[in-house]
Amino acid sequence: MALKDYVFKKSLWVFHFGGASCNNCDIEILDCLTPRFDVERFGIKLVGSVRHADVLLVNGSINVRDKDRLLEIYRQAPKPVLVIAIGACGCTGGIFAESFNFAGPVDKIIPVDAYVPGCPPKPEAIIAGIVALINKKKAEKEVEHAA
Amino acid sequence: MEEKIINIGPYHPLQEEPELFKLYCDGEIVKNIDWVTGYNHRGIERISESKTFDEVFFLVERVCGICSTSHPFAFANCIEEIGRIELPDRAKYIRSIIGELERIHSHLLWVGLAGHFLGYNTVFMWAWKYREPVLDLFEMITGNRNSYAMFRIGGNRRDIENDKIPRMRKVLDMIKRKTDLIKGAIMDDPVIHARTKGVGVIPKEAIIDYGALGPTARASGVDIDVRRDDPYAAYPLVDWKVIVEEEGDVFAKAKVRILEMYESISIIEQCLEGLKKEPEGTHYVPVKNIPAGVGMGHAEAPRGEVFHFAITDGSKSPIRHKIRAPSYQNIPTFKVSGVGQTISDTTIALAAVDPCYCCTERMGFAYDYKTGRKTLNGKDLIELSQRKTDEIRNKLNK
Amino acid sequence: MLPNEYIETIKKDLQKETKELHVDLEIRRSTLVIDPSDIVKVGEYLFSKLGCRLVTATAVDEKKNFEIYYHFSHDKTGMVTHVHVFLPKEKPEIDTLAYVTTAADWIEREMHELFGINFKDHPNMEPLLSEGNWGPDEFPFRKNED
């Protein structure tokens, strides 16, 4: 197993980017850190700079002004980076897709590896999303090795 | 001396107005504060004009996730004013219960984040831990932890059945005990006193001039509260008082919020008593159509007054819908509370207004293409603030 | 002060400026229609003399005019007064209230960006929301006439 795949197995460091969101997803992401859910048990940690992150969490609809910032953040992230779109707005634009300054859902701007739908998704769902992503990566590798 | 710019932001998931704060500093002292907004503009007022009245409730709920009942509350008041709709008492009680539960969870959230800013991560973790049972109550009553979709024109979508009351009482008792604990941890701590007393003072005149609202105003001795001044829902039916402090500093704001939590618990308990008297199933009145007219509604959110104004023409949707969230009035007061403070004090002075601080982690990246001047990021800021707390703690321990 | 006293005071002191006054004491609302040129005088009277708070202002794009409702709340009585002005479509312009109360600063900047209403002598008419979202000559909240 290559080093790059190895690092994604445990202790993911996540960076959180909120676009034009309503706050709910942001709060639920923070909630994952607090005692009831406590994702730090698994080494998952929110970091202050995307340059330290393995995973980029994006929530909220992205408006025209946010778009450049999101691209800039994605550019700064060390590759490979996993991107998870959180919440209905992150996945599709949600209720704000009708807005006049909506710039498109996250996957139209940067590549997305996993989607966690819900308005807002419960912390359990967010954790399940991250676990599903890790399993997906593992399965992909196994297929590659077998081939 | 080289002027340093510290960027706080830009991703600040407030209502329609998230912003980038630029602190212009001379050494340690903040000389000026500038703000840039527009990162979160979603054109909600414009979307609202294309939605029916029932759909607008789901939309305004998503103005702000933390105040996700205050906006529907104000909008319901607004439309019910246009249609002159009188609610049954059970509907009023249910609305007040939801509103006050939200105040408790929002204030707990603020206490936690303020603790985090001061370097008290224990307070952060504990406050958020005890916030969870409140969210569980929401899940039990409404089906969702946030964004409750509870209100409709003429009442509520769901009833709170009487057999849920004992469990709600149990959780409230627990919250009350934990509030005692948090109150003790904050009010009696000499380090917190040293960090917050006399910091970020907003004088009464400035509050009136800026039109600031909610706990920010009440901590500076401005006695306003929509729940009492222009009563709505069940607030005139229950007995409670408005908490007012005179000092106007960060400590006073914390005190107002913590004492308000006790009032909220007491309001909910009285509302639960009231619920028992009203027959189940009378949680709404059917409403056929909304006449043409002009109306406004306001509601006291955890952060201050939420104001909605709508013009209708007898059709299914509003032709103009104006939303004003409390932080819109509260944020400019940073010019008063932040300027002249040291950088580490400005952080908590900004946090004291409670401008939705789940941006804390978001403050991480700061970039300044134009000037290329040296910038500090959010993490450094929090560290600076936490270091100061440690210094005070060490001094007191000696 | 009682709600009816508040209304009587307004009636007496703003006799000259008032074009229309609609009062509904039951729900504690009143609407005061005035000429745009009187806005500073009326705003100053309500804010400084009566101790009202400028809640916010709503701009509306109607067929014939731009309209602005300034919402003043008198918290001691719970009365809310909507000060209603009409501005011409071709040149929507009105004096700023930012020197009367700082609260008007942001409110007017927002109206300027969304509707293109000009506030004379505003201290700081920098873009608040639009930068990067839409151009300086676009006004997304205006209704198209087709």
Side-chain angles (χ1 to χ4, degrees):
Chain A
M1 191 181 270
L3 180 68
K4 276 181 187 171
D5 306 320
Y6 181 75
V7 295
F8 280 129
K9 265 174 60 186
K10 281 180 190 161
S11 302
L12 293 177
W13 283 16
V14 299
F15 177 77
H16 170 215
F17 175 94
S21 79
C22 76
N23 243 347
N24 261 337
C25 299
D26 310 63
I27 295 283
E28 294 294 54
I29 290 169
L30 259 192
D31 226 27
C32 294
L33 299 173
T34 55
R36 178 175 289 184
F37 303 101
D38 198 12
V39 291
E40 289 193 8
R41 284 177 298 167
F42 312 119
I44 299 174
K45 190 178 150 190
L46 271 185
V47 290
S49 166
V50 73
R51 293 180 198 276
H52 302 156
D54 304 307
V55 178
L56 177 59
L57 303 178
V58 186
N59 73 288
S61 71
I62 306 296
N63 72 18
V64 181
R65 191 175 187 174
D66 292 340
K67 192 180 166 185
D68 293 343
R69 270 80 179 174
L70 180 57
L71 284 169
E72 174 71 16
I73 298 243
Y74 187 71
R75 196 186 61 73
Q76 289 180 0
K79 307 294 179 312
V81 64
L82 301 177
V83 180
I84 306 182
I86 301 228
C89 299
C91 296
T92 64
I95 202 165
F96 304 118
E98 295 162 37
S99 171
F100 56 87
N101 63 346
F102 178 64
V106 179
D107 57 3
K108 291 268 159 59
I109 300 168
I110 57 173
V112 174
D113 297 279
Y115 301 85
V116 182
C119 189
K122 293 172 75 171
E124 290 97 325
I126 297 173
I127 297 170
I130 295 179
V131 172
L133 182 62
I134 295 173
N135 289 340
K136 180 185 150 198
K137 282 278 145 191
K138 264 193 211 155
E140 273 174 16
K141 277 296 133 190
E142 277 161 21
V143 171
E144 262 174 46
H145 283 295
Chain B
M1 174 116 197
E2 190 196 2
E3 190 187 49
K4 212 189 250 182
I5 300 179
I6 298 179
N7 287 338
I8 302 182
Y11 289 100
H12 197 296
L14 209 61
Q15 287 81 10
E16 302 116 292
E17 58 282 350
E19 62 286 297
L20 156 63
F21 287 100
K22 286 187 177 170
L23 313 183
Y24 295 90
C25 305
D26 183 0
E28 269 284 286
I29 306 295
V30 177
K31 289 284 176 203
N32 196 6
I33 301 185
D34 228 352
W35 41 71
V36 186
T37 63
Y39 301 97
N40 206 341
H41 187 81
R42 288 161 278 161
I44 289 183
E45 293 175 14
R46 199 67 210 260
I47 300 176
S48 169
E49 290 164 17
S50 64
K51 300 273 179 206
T52 65
F53 288 113
D54 272 345
E55 290 168 341
V56 173
F57 279 95
F58 300 110
L59 179 69
V60 292
E61 216 167 59
R62 282 155 184 83
V63 170
C64 169
I66 307 175
C67 319
S68 65
T69 217
S70 309
H71 285 279
F73 219 144
F75 184 66
N77 286 343
C78 171
I79 298 301
E80 280 154 15
E81 182 182 304
I82 296 176
R84 298 294 159 96
I85 298 157
E86 189 56 42
L87 298 188
D89 276 356
R90 191 174 182 90
K92 289 183 182 172
Y93 283 126
I94 294 176
R95 281 192 176 179
S96 288
I97 289 171
I98 300 288
E100 293 308 307
L101 276 176
E102 181 186 81
R103 195 177 316 278
I104 295 174
H105 103 69
S106 175
H107 283 350
L108 277 174
L109 184 144
W110 179 83
V111 167
L113 289 173
H116 173 62
F117 263 59
L118 289 173
Y120 278 76
N121 270 327
T122 321
V123 173
F124 172 48
M125 289 294 170
W126 279 25
W128 281 56
K129 181 180 170 189
Y130 299 128
R131 189 177 150 262
E132 288 295 327
V134 184
L135 297 183
D136 286 347
L137 277 190
F138 274 126
E139 201 172 354
M140 178 181 82
I141 300 168
T142 71
N144 202 358
R145 287 158 55 91
N146 314 81
S147 300
Y148 324 112
M150 195 64 174
F151 294 178
R152 59 186 266 184
I153 298 166
N156 301 288
R157 268 171 219 285
R158 298 174 198 85
D159 202 356
I160 298 181
E161 291 85 10
N162 286 352
D163 55 4
K164 285 178 180 160
I165 293 177
R167 172 150 178 225
M168 293 182 70
R169 282 190 168 279
K170 221 168 120 190
V171 174
L172 286 176
D173 284 344
M174 193 278 283
I175 300 282
K176 206 178 201 169
R177 285 200 306 276
K178 299 306 174 192
T179 312
D180 287 340
L181 185 137
I182 290 170
K183 186 181 161 201
I186 289 178
M187 301 280 193
D188 304 336
D189 190 310
V191 182
I192 289 185
H193 280 231
R195 272 311 302 278
T196 58
K197 280 205 165 161
V199 171
V201 179
I202 310 178
K204 196 172 178 175
E205 297 72 36
I207 293 283
I208 293 171
D209 186 28
Y210 280 83
L213 306 155
T216 310
R218 290 197 285 275
S220 295
V222 178
D223 189 3
I224 52 171
D225 193 320
V226 181
R227 290 176 290 172
R228 179 201 55 201
D229 299 335
D230 189 10
Y232 58 95
Y235 294 111
L237 306 175
V238 295
D239 185 31
W240 61 285
K241 60 179 190 293
V242 178
I243 309 285
V244 181
E245 293 287 325
E246 296 296 328
E247 292 81 9
D249 54 6
V250 178
F251 188 77
K253 286 175 195 128
K255 201 171 166 189
V256 166
R257 290 200 172 92
I258 290 172
L259 295 179
E260 270 183 11
M261 283 184 357
Y262 288 107
E263 291 301 318
S264 294
I265 293 171
S266 143
I267 291 173
I268 298 173
E269 277 172 348
Q270 294 174 52
C271 287
L272 289 177
E273 279 307 309
L275 267 191
K276 284 183 187 163
K277 289 186 206 121
E278 304 295 326
E280 275 189 30
T282 54
H283 55 284
Y284 71 98
V285 283
V287 178
K288 280 270 159 56
N289 49 12
I290 306 298
V294 171
M296 58 142 286
H298 43 192
E300 185 79 13
R303 288 163 189 74
E305 175 207 40
V306 165
F307 179 91
H308 282 232
F309 177 79
I311 303 176
T312 57
D313 59 352
S315 67
K316 283 199 183 72
S317 42
I319 57 170
R320 176 84 175 99
H321 179 194
K322 169 78 187 173
I323 303 167
R324 204 288 322 272
S327 297
Y328 199 82
Q329 303 297 105
N330 286 341
I331 286 172
T333 60
F334 291 167
K335 275 245 189 241
V336 181
S337 64
V339 172
Q341 309 271 345
T342 60
I343 300 168
S344 50
D345 283 345
T346 307
T347 330
I348 185 66
L350 300 187
V353 176
D354 194 5
C356 281
Y357 253 70
C358 62
C359 64
T360 316
E361 270 66 31
R362 209 87 41 69
M363 285 164 49
F365 73 103
Y367 52 113
D368 196 354
Y369 297 126
K370 284 175 203 150
T371 56
R373 275 183 267 198
K374 194 182 169 193
T375 58
L376 280 172
N377 69 18
K379 212 174 162 196
D380 296 338
L381 265 183
I382 297 175
E383 265 168 24
L384 207 65
S385 175
Q386 294 179 342
R387 212 181 305 143
K388 185 164 176 188
T389 306
D390 282 340
E391 277 164 21
I392 294 175
R393 194 184 284 150
N394 292 339
K395 222 184 284 166
L396 286 171
N397 285 344
K398 263 174 208 162
Chain C
M1 191 186 261
L2 291 167
N4 54 346
E5 290 169 10
Y6 168 83
I7 292 297
E8 289 308 315
T9 323
I10 287 188
K11 268 187 192 159
K12 198 169 84 222
D13 293 351
L14 293 179
Q15 205 173 19
K16 217 165 72 208
E17 287 79 16
T18 310
K19 280 160 90 179
E20 280 173 54
L21 179 67
H22 309 283
V23 183
D24 192 332
L25 277 179
E26 195 191 330
I27 55 168
R28 286 188 292 261
R29 305 288 177 257
S30 54
T31 308
L32 178 69
V33 183
I34 59 161
D35 199 73
S37 55
D38 291 329
I39 184 64
V40 174
K41 203 174 163 207
V42 172
E44 194 156 18
Y45 171 77
L46 288 172
F47 180 77
S48 309
K49 276 269 174 54
L50 287 183
C52 289
R53 169 168 60 87
L54 177 59
V55 179
T56 191
T58 309
V60 189
D61 183 0
E62 292 281 8
K63 280 210 174 70
K64 288 185 200 138
N65 296 299
F66 280 109
E67 298 175 13
I68 302 181
Y69 293 86
Y70 291 87
H71 312 287
F72 283 91
S73 171
H74 190 253
D75 293 311
K76 288 194 187 74
T77 56
M79 290 290 289
V80 177
T81 305
H82 309 300
V83 178
H84 192 177
V85 297
F86 295 87
L87 306 176
K89 265 262 148 116
E90 309 78 54
K91 201 179 170 215
E93 207 173 46
I94 190 165
D95 287 322
T96 176
L97 278 183
Y99 298 104
V100 177
T101 160
T102 318
D105 185 338
W106 274 30
I107 295 167
E108 290 180 350
R109 278 165 75 182
E110 190 189 318
M111 280 195 279
H112 174 70
E113 284 185 272
L114 296 175
F115 288 91
I117 294 168
N118 194 19
F119 292 90
K120 278 184 265 179
D121 303 329
H122 189 281
N124 178 24
M125 202 44 108
E126 298 272 305
L128 193 64
L129 307 164
S130 61
E131 198 190 317
N133 274 332
W134 61 88
D137 297 323
E138 293 169 45
F139 304 110
F141 276 43
R142 280 193 185 180
K143 285 182 181 149
N144 294 327
E145 288 300 320
D146 38 55

mmCIF file of all heavy atoms in Angstrom, chain B residues 55-81:
data_model
loop_
_atom_site.group_PDB
_atom_site.id
_atom_site.type_symbol
_atom_site.label_atom_id
_atom_site.label_comp_id
_atom_site.label_asym_id
_atom_site.label_seq_id
_atom_site.Cartn_x
_atom_site.Cartn_y
_atom_site.Cartn_z
ATOM 1 N N GLU B 55 -44.653 27.886 1.800
ATOM 2 C CA GLU B 55 -43.259 27.558 1.481
ATOM 3 C C GLU B 55 -42.287 28.548 2.107
ATOM 4 O O GLU B 55 -41.152 28.196 2.419
ATOM 5 C CB GLU B 55 -43.059 27.534 -0.039
ATOM 6 C CG GLU B 55 -43.728 26.372 -0.724
ATOM 7 C CD GLU B 55 -43.762 26.536 -2.238
ATOM 8 O OE1 GLU B 55 -43.607 27.656 -2.732
ATOM 9 O OE2 GLU B 55 -43.966 25.536 -2.917
ATOM 10 N N VAL B 56 -42.742 29.800 2.271
ATOM 11 C CA VAL B 56 -41.840 30.816 2.811
ATOM 12 C C VAL B 56 -41.342 30.423 4.195
ATOM 13 O O VAL B 56 -40.208 30.703 4.562
ATOM 14 C CB VAL B 56 -42.534 32.197 2.835
ATOM 15 C CG1 VAL B 56 -41.686 33.213 3.550
ATOM 16 C CG2 VAL B 56 -42.818 32.661 1.433
ATOM 17 N N PHE B 57 -42.197 29.694 4.950
ATOM 18 C CA PHE B 57 -41.759 29.272 6.284
ATOM 19 C C PHE B 57 -40.494 28.429 6.215
ATOM 20 O O PHE B 57 -39.583 28.581 7.014
ATOM 21 C CB PHE B 57 -42.870 28.491 6.979
ATOM 22 C CG PHE B 57 -43.894 29.384 7.598
ATOM 23 C CD1 PHE B 57 -45.039 29.712 6.916
ATOM 24 C CD2 PHE B 57 -43.680 29.927 8.850
ATOM 25 C CE1 PHE B 57 -45.973 30.550 7.466
ATOM 26 C CE2 PHE B 57 -44.600 30.768 9.417
ATOM 27 C CZ PHE B 57 -45.754 31.089 8.717
ATOM 28 N N PHE B 58 -40.449 27.519 5.244
ATOM 29 C CA PHE B 58 -39.251 26.677 5.133
ATOM 30 C C PHE B 58 -38.057 27.500 4.684
ATOM 31 O O PHE B 58 -36.919 27.202 5.032
ATOM 32 C CB PHE B 58 -39.507 25.535 4.140
ATOM 33 C CG PHE B 58 -40.643 24.663 4.550
ATOM 34 C CD1 PHE B 58 -41.823 24.666 3.844
ATOM 35 C CD2 PHE B 58 -40.540 23.875 5.675
ATOM 36 C CE1 PHE B 58 -42.885 23.871 4.244
ATOM 37 C CE2 PHE B 58 -41.597 23.084 6.084
ATOM 38 C CZ PHE B 58 -42.770 23.083 5.359
ATOM 39 N N LEU B 59 -38.333 28.521 3.908
ATOM 40 C CA LEU B 59 -37.238 29.363 3.426
ATOM 41 C C LEU B 59 -36.665 30.211 4.559
ATOM 42 O O LEU B 59 -35.450 30.235 4.768
ATOM 43 C CB LEU B 59 -37.741 30.253 2.288
ATOM 44 C CG LEU B 59 -36.722 31.211 1.703
ATOM 45 C CD1 LEU B 59 -35.659 30.447 0.948
ATOM 46 C CD2 LEU B 59 -37.390 32.204 0.780
ATOM 47 N N VAL B 60 -37.537 30.901 5.299
ATOM 48 C CA VAL B 60 -37.021 31.813 6.326
ATOM 49 C C VAL B 60 -36.368 31.040 7.464
ATOM 50 O O VAL B 60 -35.509 31.567 8.162
ATOM 51 C CB VAL B 60 -38.103 32.773 6.882
ATOM 52 C CG1 VAL B 60 -38.525 33.749 5.829
ATOM 53 C CG2 VAL B 60 -39.274 32.045 7.461
ATOM 54 N N GLU B 61 -36.769 29.787 7.638
ATOM 55 C CA GLU B 61 -36.113 28.955 8.629
ATOM 56 C C GLU B 61 -34.629 28.836 8.326
ATOM 57 O O GLU B 61 -33.806 28.687 9.210
ATOM 58 C CB GLU B 61 -36.732 27.578 8.551
ATOM 59 C CG GLU B 61 -36.875 26.885 9.848
ATOM 60 C CD GLU B 61 -37.781 25.693 9.674
ATOM 61 O OE1 GLU B 61 -37.454 24.822 8.865
ATOM 62 O OE2 GLU B 61 -38.807 25.672 10.322
ATOM 63 N N ARG B 62 -34.312 28.895 7.042
ATOM 64 C CA ARG B 62 -32.934 28.708 6.614
ATOM 65 C C ARG B 62 -32.192 30.030 6.416
ATOM 66 O O ARG B 62 -31.146 30.060 5.779
ATOM 67 C CB ARG B 62 -32.921 27.852 5.345
ATOM 68 C CG ARG B 62 -33.126 26.402 5.692
ATOM 69 C CD ARG B 62 -33.717 25.573 4.593
ATOM 70 N NE ARG B 62 -33.949 24.213 5.065
ATOM 71 C CZ ARG B 62 -35.025 23.823 5.751
ATOM 72 N NH1 ARG B 62 -35.967 24.693 6.047
ATOM 73 N NH2 ARG B 62 -35.139 22.586 6.158
ATOM 74 N N VAL B 63 -32.764 31.118 6.950
ATOM 75 C CA VAL B 63 -31.985 32.354 7.013
ATOM 76 C C VAL B 63 -30.831 32.123 7.958
ATOM 77 O O VAL B 63 -29.685 32.436 7.669
ATOM 78 C CB VAL B 63 -32.865 33.513 7.513
ATOM 79 C CG1 VAL B 63 -32.021 34.726 7.810
ATOM 80 C CG2 VAL B 63 -33.929 33.840 6.503
ATOM 81 N N CYS B 64 -31.151 31.553 9.118
ATOM 82 C CA CYS B 64 -30.117 31.257 10.102
ATOM 83 C C CYS B 64 -30.476 29.969 10.792
ATOM 84 O O CYS B 64 -31.596 29.797 11.235
ATOM 85 C CB CYS B 64 -30.013 32.384 11.112
ATOM 86 S SG CYS B 64 -28.994 31.930 12.507
ATOM 87 N N GLY B 65 -29.539 29.070 10.856
ATOM 88 C CA GLY B 65 -29.817 27.774 11.444
ATOM 89 C C GLY B 65 -30.013 27.820 12.938
ATOM 90 O O GLY B 65 -30.765 27.030 13.492
ATOM 91 N N ILE B 66 -29.315 28.754 13.610
ATOM 92 C CA ILE B 66 -29.414 28.768 15.064
ATOM 93 C C ILE B 66 -30.718 29.426 15.494
ATOM 94 O O ILE B 66 -31.359 28.995 16.432
ATOM 95 C CB ILE B 66 -28.204 29.490 15.686
ATOM 96 C CG1 ILE B 66 -26.929 28.864 15.154
ATOM 97 C CG2 ILE B 66 -28.238 29.385 17.184
ATOM 98 C CD1 ILE B 66 -25.696 29.574 15.612
ATOM 99 N N CYS B 67 -31.115 30.472 14.775
ATOM 100 C CA CYS B 67 -32.399 31.121 15.089
ATOM 101 C C CYS B 67 -33.480 30.539 14.199
ATOM 102 O O CYS B 67 -34.312 31.276 13.692
ATOM 103 C CB CYS B 67 -32.369 32.615 14.852
ATOM 104 S SG CYS B 67 -30.895 33.422 15.359
ATOM 105 N N SER B 68 -33.474 29.238 13.970
ATOM 106 C CA SER B 68 -34.359 28.740 12.930
ATOM 107 C C SER B 68 -35.803 28.698 13.360
ATOM 108 O O SER B 68 -36.633 28.224 12.611
ATOM 109 C CB SER B 68 -33.897 27.379 12.438
ATOM 110 O OG SER B 68 -34.002 26.454 13.472
ATOM 111 N N THR B 69 -36.129 29.196 14.537
ATOM 112 C CA THR B 69 -37.552 29.346 14.813
ATOM 113 C C THR B 69 -37.939 30.811 14.920
ATOM 114 O O THR B 69 -39.103 31.157 14.810
ATOM 115 C CB THR B 69 -37.950 28.562 16.082
ATOM 116 O OG1 THR B 69 -39.229 28.023 15.870
ATOM 117 C CG2 THR B 69 -37.954 29.382 17.305
ATOM 118 N N SER B 70 -36.956 31.689 15.100
ATOM 119 C CA SER B 70 -37.286 33.098 15.290
ATOM 120 C C SER B 70 -37.783 33.732 14.007
ATOM 121 O O SER B 70 -38.688 34.556 14.023
ATOM 122 C CB SER B 70 -36.057 33.861 15.775
ATOM 123 O OG SER B 70 -35.508 33.205 16.868
ATOM 124 N N HIS B 71 -37.178 33.340 12.876
ATOM 125 C CA HIS B 71 -37.629 33.916 11.611
ATOM 126 C C HIS B 71 -39.037 33.451 11.241
ATOM 127 O O HIS B 71 -39.875 34.292 10.912
ATOM 128 C CB HIS B 71 -36.608 33.626 10.509
ATOM 129 C CG HIS B 71 -35.379 34.484 10.624
ATOM 130 N ND1 HIS B 71 -35.338 35.775 10.161
ATOM 131 C CD2 HIS B 71 -34.193 34.247 11.198
ATOM 132 C CE1 HIS B 71 -34.155 36.285 10.426
ATOM 133 N NE2 HIS B 71 -33.430 35.389 11.055
ATOM 134 N N PRO B 72 -39.341 32.145 11.314
ATOM 135 C CA PRO B 72 -40.740 31.764 11.096
ATOM 136 C C PRO B 72 -41.689 32.435 12.092
ATOM 137 O O PRO B 72 -42.808 32.789 11.739
ATOM 138 C CB PRO B 72 -40.724 30.248 11.311
ATOM 139 C CG PRO B 72 -39.351 29.833 11.039
ATOM 140 C CD PRO B 72 -38.484 30.960 11.452
ATOM 141 N N PHE B 73 -41.220 32.618 13.318
ATOM 142 C CA PHE B 73 -42.030 33.266 14.349
ATOM 143 C C PHE B 73 -42.421 34.671 13.888
ATOM 144 O O PHE B 73 -43.600 35.054 13.888
ATOM 145 C CB PHE B 73 -41.198 33.365 15.637
ATOM 146 C CG PHE B 73 -41.977 33.122 16.896
ATOM 147 C CD1 PHE B 73 -41.388 32.471 17.962
ATOM 148 C CD2 PHE B 73 -43.280 33.547 17.014
ATOM 149 C CE1 PHE B 73 -42.088 32.227 19.132
ATOM 150 C CE2 PHE B 73 -43.999 33.317 18.178
ATOM 151 C CZ PHE B 73 -43.394 32.650 19.244
ATOM 152 N N ALA B 74 -41.414 35.434 13.478
ATOM 153 C CA ALA B 74 -41.681 36.815 13.056
ATOM 154 C C ALA B 74 -42.538 36.829 11.801
ATOM 155 O O ALA B 74 -43.447 37.651 11.665
ATOM 156 C CB ALA B 74 -40.360 37.540 12.808
ATOM 157 N N PHE B 75 -42.281 35.893 10.881
ATOM 158 C CA PHE B 75 -43.061 35.873 9.641
ATOM 159 C C PHE B 75 -44.507 35.490 9.934
ATOM 160 O O PHE B 75 -45.438 36.070 9.363
ATOM 161 C CB PHE B 75 -42.430 34.899 8.642
ATOM 162 C CG PHE B 75 -43.111 34.886 7.313
ATOM 163 C CD1 PHE B 75 -43.082 36.006 6.503
ATOM 164 C CD2 PHE B 75 -43.816 33.780 6.882
ATOM 165 C CE1 PHE B 75 -43.724 36.018 5.281
ATOM 166 C CE2 PHE B 75 -44.453 33.777 5.661
ATOM 167 C CZ PHE B 75 -44.415 34.902 4.859
ATOM 168 N N ALA B 76 -44.704 34.541 10.853
ATOM 169 C CA ALA B 76 -46.066 34.158 11.220
ATOM 170 C C ALA B 76 -46.784 35.350 11.850
ATOM 171 O O ALA B 76 -47.931 35.654 11.505
ATOM 172 C CB ALA B 76 -46.033 32.980 12.182
ATOM 173 N N ASN B 77 -46.095 36.061 12.745
ATOM 174 C CA ASN B 77 -46.702 37.251 13.355
ATOM 175 C C ASN B 77 -47.099 38.246 12.284
ATOM 176 O O ASN B 77 -48.141 38.898 12.377
ATOM 177 C CB ASN B 77 -45.713 37.923 14.320
ATOM 178 C CG ASN B 77 -45.547 37.141 15.598
ATOM 179 O OD1 ASN B 77 -46.360 36.291 15.912
ATOM 180 N ND2 ASN B 77 -44.479 37.412 16.324
ATOM 181 N N CYS B 78 -46.227 38.374 11.272
ATOM 182 C CA CYS B 78 -46.444 39.343 10.207
ATOM 183 C C CYS B 78 -47.685 38.990 9.392
ATOM 184 O O CYS B 78 -48.575 39.822 9.189
ATOM 185 C CB CYS B 78 -45.183 39.367 9.346
ATOM 186 S SG CYS B 78 -45.300 40.291 7.853
ATOM 187 N N ILE B 79 -47.781 37.743 8.952
ATOM 188 C CA ILE B 79 -48.911 37.340 8.105
ATOM 189 C C ILE B 79 -50.196 37.303 8.923
ATOM 190 O O ILE B 79 -51.273 37.690 8.459
ATOM 191 C CB ILE B 79 -48.628 35.969 7.452
ATOM 192 C CG1 ILE B 79 -47.409 36.065 6.541
ATOM 193 C CG2 ILE B 79 -49.825 35.500 6.648
ATOM 194 C CD1 ILE B 79 -47.536 37.068 5.426
ATOM 195 N N GLU B 80 -50.082 36.889 10.179
ATOM 196 C CA GLU B 80 -51.281 36.858 11.018
ATOM 197 C C GLU B 80 -51.776 38.262 11.318
ATOM 198 O O GLU B 80 -52.962 38.467 11.568
ATOM 199 C CB GLU B 80 -51.002 36.068 12.303
ATOM 200 C CG GLU B 80 -51.084 34.564 12.051
ATOM 201 C CD GLU B 80 -50.273 33.734 13.008
ATOM 202 O OE1 GLU B 80 -49.850 34.259 14.047
ATOM 203 O OE2 GLU B 80 -50.046 32.542 12.700
ATOM 204 N N GLU B 81 -50.855 39.228 11.289
ATOM 205 C CA GLU B 81 -51.290 40.618 11.458
ATOM 206 C C GLU B 81 -52.057 41.088 10.224
ATOM 207 O O GLU B 81 -53.081 41.768 10.338
ATOM 208 C CB GLU B 81 -50.075 41.516 11.706
ATOM 209 C CG GLU B 81 -50.445 42.962 11.937
ATOM 210 C CD GLU B 81 -49.215 43.832 12.120
ATOM 211 O OE1 GLU B 81 -48.418 43.528 13.017
ATOM 212 O OE2 GLU B 81 -49.058 44.801 11.366
#
